[in-house]
Amino acid sequence: MVKQSAVSFFPLSFSSYIFLHVFFYGMSHQATGAELIALTLKHLGVRVIFGIVGIPVVEIADACQAHSIRFIGFRNEQSAAYAASVYGFLSGEPGVCLTVGGPGVVHGLAGLLNAQLNCWPMVLLAGSCDTDQVDMGAFQELDQVEVCRPYCKYAARPSSVDKIPFVLEKAIRTAAAGRPGPTYVDLPADYIQYAIKDRNAIAPLLPQHRLIAPRSQADPAAIAQAAAWLRDARRPLIVIGKGAAYARAEDELRQWVEQLGVPFLPTPMGKGVLPDNHPLCVSAARSKALKEADVVVLVGARLNWILHYGAAPRWAENVKYIHLDVHPEEVGNNGAHTAALVGDLRLSLKQLLEFAPTTGIDPAYLSGLQAKAKGNVTKMLQLGKQGDDQAVLNYHTAFTVIKDILPTQGIIYISEGANTMDIGRSYFDVQVPRHRLDAGTGATMGVGMGYAIAAQVYYPDHRIVSIVGDSAFGFSAMELETAVRSNIPLLIIVINNNGIYHGLDEKDYEASRETQSLPSTSLSPETRYDLIAEACGGKGWLVRNRVELAKALKESLTLTKETCVINVLIAPGGRKKLSFGWMNSAQKAKI
């Protein structure tokens, strides 16, 4: 039974749902548990919720809308949860996702995992069966708190209706405190349906204080050690991670980098924290920089697979790391020789500015990196000039056309897919923090549409340009309807090579179908993703060469209130052997 409190409640059945929505909302002195939830979220600063409604959470969404919280209804909970997770990254406040119970929660787990891996604040809210029907085989019954717990910093069901504000506040506060991450709140149907006789009794239940998460400086002894290492360094390097973007540490980083004159490179979602066109940016010479650096400052970056675990042969044998991170357990991972600067990134950078104003950098090291970067950029640009205007496109020629036409300001890039994301990262410069989103630490395919929708909600005055592979787009293409219905004017550019990594031309594809020998990476040739956009009420283009791509892109940029899809057919690649540099170590003997 739900605990009674000073607030008078009485239980309601599912059959009372519609009646209560119409009747109680018209009577100022009465409310429901759903309105208590909505008012709490509003009180805690929630402005938008991503999700899918159904029994029993439709009342929550309706109540939120009645209290000016925007609700964006998706077609799949995965995309909604991805949207909430990245909204947390962009805004610095937990993104909120609302789903039904059972399978809705299972689908939403993808977003929880994504938020956990990327360290982004997110809250998943889900309905569940009546508390007196637990273990009876209730509608969509699942022990959702325990299902979500491995992926969350906090997962709970309120012990009673009047405890809902307490649990929601704790979930939102916990998601953003320390190392950010996801939380989960379970909302039973009978809690949602409870009718509160006197709505004036709600206000005393709302959280009375909003705790500002404390910010701590790094240990002065660790700062002194880091300063000594930097003074002695001949080949220092700064690696900027997406943690620096989340922390909004761009001003402190710019001041420190320019004062020291140390080269830097960003991780994929660290692009733009400092401009890609900065003279000290050596991302185009990444391999050389990693191999030669003797002291590396990690700013909100982790020594995981993206940075080759901080180990040889990608890094020098005796490299030292100065690791700035908010999470104590992160520093020193994988046996790295580390000075641990644990604390708020902005405060730690200010400390370093005071104690480490100079380095003994070798001028030949810096000039060598800059020359290598310039040479690699020149080679890349030459690849984009291959063939004539009517030639079949490839990644490089397509990206060159897109890069030449897109405005240099006001663009938020979404990048998803294997080759599309990896090659595109080098082509599209980012000069502003938090203006490029990609598959992230989990290399999660399917995030593109959710990310694009969330980015447009957060940046209403910017143009969202999502450049995605055809395989990746297929995970969430139906969210085009979500974008059109929600008046979210996205520009989606699908790089279509008929497959995962690479595909087959039509002749090889049809022959393989006949013999049932299609490669596992194959997709149907020339799938008309542009027509899906048209069917959903958007605009679509099919392009095969430079001229057609340029024309379509220019036209789409003028349609600032439309959701647009440009389906870019490129050379499929054929039956190539898959090989990824970062996985080569798996081929080596371990002992």
Side-chain angles (χ1 to χ4, degrees):
M1 292 294 292
V2 176
K3 174 185 170 184
Q4 300 294 323
S5 73
V7 185
S8 297
F9 299 104
F10 55 89
L12 300 168
S13 65
F14 276 114
S15 63
S16 303
Y17 244 84
I18 302 302
F19 171 78
L20 279 173
H21 178 63
V22 174
F23 183 75
F24 280 148
Y25 271 47
M27 301 189 64
S28 61
H29 64 286
Q30 293 180 320
T32 64
E35 190 170 6
L36 174 63
I37 294 166
L39 285 168
T40 303
L41 294 173
K42 180 79 171 180
H43 182 74
L44 293 170
V46 174
R47 294 179 292 276
V48 60
I49 295 176
F50 309 92
I52 299 180
V53 298
I55 295 172
V57 300
V58 64
E59 290 292 300
I60 296 175
D62 288 350
C64 287
Q65 289 178 315
H67 290 284
S68 302
I69 297 175
R70 186 178 184 184
F71 180 80
I72 297 178
F74 279 70
R75 303 302 297 269
N76 184 285
E77 290 93 351
Q78 287 188 8
S79 290
Y82 291 144
S85 69
V86 85
Y87 189 85
F89 168 71
L90 293 173
S91 69
E93 297 286 342
V96 179
C97 180
L98 176 67
T99 74
V100 299
V105 170
V106 172
H107 294 166
L109 288 177
L112 289 181
L113 176 62
N114 192 59
Q116 182 188 59
L117 291 173
N118 288 289
C119 306
W120 295 341
M122 171 190 169
V123 179
L124 175 62
L125 309 176
S128 60
C129 66
D130 286 24
T131 53
D132 62 354
Q133 295 175 3
V134 172
D135 293 336
M136 295 178 66
F139 177 72
Q140 295 186 331
E141 183 180 355
L142 179 68
D143 189 351
Q144 293 160 189
V145 172
E146 291 307 311
V147 167
C148 294
R149 196 181 303 280
Y151 309 101
C152 291
K153 297 175 67 179
Y154 172 71
R157 167 187 284 185
S159 59
S160 59
V161 176
D162 58 311
K163 292 295 185 183
I164 288 174
F166 168 83
V167 173
L168 288 175
E169 186 279 332
K170 186 170 184 178
I172 289 176
R173 172 168 46 85
T174 301
R179 170 187 269 183
T183 60
Y184 172 71
V185 177
D186 198 66
L187 299 168
D190 49 337
Y191 287 20
I192 297 168
Q193 298 164 19
Y194 257 65
I196 303 171
K197 291 183 178 180
D198 184 1
R199 67 168 57 245
N200 294 323
I202 289 179
L205 296 178
L206 300 180
Q208 300 303 305
H209 305 286
R210 194 83 195 271
L211 177 66
I212 299 175
R215 299 168 61 202
S216 60
Q217 291 186 321
D219 183 346
I223 290 289
Q225 181 185 34
W229 284 5
L230 283 169
R231 282 193 294 269
D232 294 339
R234 297 288 288 160
R235 300 181 303 280
L237 176 69
I238 298 171
V239 177
I240 301 171
K242 64 176 174 287
Y246 177 81
R248 286 162 165 72
E250 50 266 23
D251 291 341
E252 291 82 0
L253 255 175
R254 179 189 284 271
Q255 184 180 356
W256 190 60
V257 164
E258 293 179 352
Q259 180 172 309
L260 267 67
V262 172
F264 70 88
L265 59 85
T267 62
M269 280 185 61
K271 284 172 69 72
V273 174
L274 296 184
D276 280 345
N277 62 6
H278 194 287
L280 291 172
C281 180
V282 295
S283 58
R286 183 180 189 271
S287 296
K288 179 178 174 66
L290 267 56
K291 182 67 176 177
E292 294 183 1
D294 59 359
V295 173
V296 177
V297 184
L298 302 170
V299 185
R302 292 175 283 173
L303 292 176
N304 54 22
W305 66 276
I306 294 174
L307 290 177
H308 313 291
Y309 312 105
R314 295 300 185 95
W315 297 87
E317 286 284 355
N318 298 315
V319 63
K320 297 177 181 179
Y321 294 99
I322 299 170
H323 198 165
L324 284 73
D325 201 284
V326 73
H327 194 58
E329 286 83 354
E330 186 63 48
V331 295
N333 263 357
N334 302 319
H337 187 187
T338 304
L341 275 57
V342 177
D344 178 83
L345 293 188
R346 297 175 68 183
L347 295 180
S348 297
L349 285 167
K350 288 178 180 178
Q351 289 176 276
L352 278 176
L353 268 169
E354 181 179 352
F355 288 96
T358 60
T359 66
I361 188 170
D362 181 357
Y365 160 73
L366 177 57
S367 62
L369 289 178
Q370 292 172 326
K372 181 67 173 177
K374 184 178 180 180
N376 286 343
V377 169
T378 299
K379 291 178 182 178
M380 181 189 71
L381 295 177
Q382 290 172 344
L383 291 173
K385 297 177 181 178
Q386 297 170 336
D388 59 32
D389 286 349
Q390 301 301 318
V392 176
L393 293 164
N394 58 40
Y395 290 104
H396 297 279
T397 55
F399 290 158
T400 297
V401 173
I402 297 167
K403 178 184 175 71
D404 289 345
I405 293 174
L406 284 180
T408 57
Q409 296 180 337
I411 299 293
I412 309 296
Y413 291 99
I414 314 293
S415 187
E416 182 186 22
N419 296 321
T420 301
M421 182 173 62
D422 293 341
I423 299 172
R425 183 169 56 246
S426 299
Y427 270 89
F428 301 104
D429 293 335
V430 184
Q431 315 302 348
V432 183
R434 299 167 295 280
H435 276 47
R436 181 186 180 277
L437 308 172
D438 69 16
T441 304
T444 308
M445 295 297 106
V447 298
M449 286 300 298
Y451 279 17
I453 290 169
Q456 188 68 83
V457 171
Y458 185 72
Y459 293 111
D461 298 325
H462 288 62
R463 194 68 192 263
I464 308 302
V465 178
S466 187
I467 305 173
V468 299
D470 53 338
S471 170
F473 182 62
F475 281 82
S476 58
M478 203 58 215
E479 302 303 343
L480 286 170
E481 189 275 334
T482 301
V484 171
R485 169 170 37 89
S486 304
N487 289 319
I488 295 176
L490 308 177
L491 172 52
I492 314 296
I493 303 173
V494 181
I495 306 299
N496 186 352
N497 70 345
N498 305 342
I500 304 170
Y501 306 116
H502 44 70
L504 304 179
D505 61 33
E506 188 168 5
K507 181 179 179 180
D508 194 357
Y509 173 83
E510 292 297 344
S512 299
R513 284 183 71 198
E514 289 294 323
T515 58
Q516 297 185 357
S517 60
L518 272 176
S520 61
T521 56
S522 293
L523 298 174
S524 300
E526 301 189 6
T527 298
R528 295 298 301 272
Y529 300 108
D530 51 303
L531 295 183
I532 299 177
E534 298 275 359
C536 291
K539 301 293 184 182
W541 294 261
L542 178 71
V543 304
R544 299 175 182 274
N545 56 47
R546 283 189 176 100
V547 174
E548 293 176 355
L549 175 55
K551 181 175 182 292
L553 184 54
K554 290 175 181 177
E555 289 177 1
S556 67
L557 288 171
T558 68
L559 301 175
T560 57
K561 295 184 179 181
E562 302 277 357
T563 294
C564 302
V565 171
I566 303 176
N567 187 6
V568 184
L569 303 183
I570 68 169
R575 298 174 182 271
K576 295 179 180 178
K577 182 179 179 180
L578 296 177
S579 178
F580 303 96
W582 59 270
M583 292 183 65
N584 288 344
S585 61
Q587 303 169 8
K588 300 177 181 178
K590 299 296 184 183
I591 56 175

